[in-house]
């Protein structure tokens, strides 16, 4: 994993109250899951179709479960119709989020 100033490059726009995470989405997977870090991104495999926001809703559900936080703390800032998305996680300091991600088997 490449790092910048001690933080992974998948983190941007950091503040004490929110973090922006870069996510790369792979569609039409058999099973929806967060596959972990892959270079500068967190990789998400989605099973729901990208129609009527179903895939975006699945992404938020999966990220919330992966980070063990409430769904309403995650919003899609950029990339609603793109495979590269920027998610904002609120109420979470960058160091706190880093500890959560470090505790995951990636």
């Amino acid at each position: 994993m490449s790092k910048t100033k001690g933080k992974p490059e998948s983190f941007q726009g950091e503040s004490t109250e929110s973090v922006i995470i870069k996510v790369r989405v792979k569609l039409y997977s058999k099973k929806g899951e967060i596959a972990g870090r892959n270079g500068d991104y967190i990789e998400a495999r989605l099973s729901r179709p990208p129609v009527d926001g179903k895939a975006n809703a699945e992404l938020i559900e999966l990220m919330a479960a992966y980070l063990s936080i409430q769904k309403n703390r995650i919003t899609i800032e950029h990339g609603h119709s793109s495979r590269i998305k920027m998610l904002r996680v609120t109420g979470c300091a960058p160091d706190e989020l880093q500890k959560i991600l470090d505790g995951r088997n990636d």
Side-chain angles (χ1 to χ4, degrees), residues 7 17 25 42 46-49 57 61 84 102 104:
K7 303 278 189 287
E17 297 180 13
V25 172
I42 293 177
L46 305 180
S47 61
R48 293 186 196 157
E61 290 170 12
I84 305 294
D102 286 345
R104 305 294 305 187

Side-chain angles (χ1 to χ4, degrees), residues 9 12 14 17 28 36 50-51 54 59 63-64 66 69-72 83 92 97 101 103 105:
E9 291 177 10
Q12 293 185 351
E14 301 169 359
E17 297 180 13
Y28 306 108
V51 177
K54 291 178 183 178
L59 174 62
M63 282 300 296
Y66 185 78
I69 62 174
Q70 296 173 330
K71 291 187 293 187
N72 64 358
R83 290 180 191 238
C92 187
L97 187 60
L101 292 173
N105 290 329

Side-chain angles (χ1 to χ4, degrees), residues 35-101:
R37 292 188 211 153
N38 186 0
D40 295 343
Y41 301 92
I42 293 177
E43 186 175 306
R45 298 179 186 139
L46 305 180
S47 61
R48 293 186 196 157
V51 177
D52 298 328
K54 291 178 183 178
N56 287 337
E58 180 183 20
L59 174 62
I60 290 172
E61 290 170 12
L62 291 171
M63 282 300 296
Y66 185 78
L67 298 173
S68 300
I69 62 174
Q70 296 173 330
K71 291 187 293 187
N72 64 358
R73 292 178 54 190
I74 300 173
T75 56
I76 299 174
E77 290 290 307
H78 299 287
H80 289 272
S81 60
S82 172
R83 290 180 191 238
I84 305 294
K85 300 183 184 293
M86 304 296 257
L87 302 182
R88 179 176 299 276
V89 180
T90 58
C92 187
D95 292 338
E96 180 184 346
L97 187 60
Q98 181 65 47
K99 288 178 187 176
I100 293 169
L101 292 173

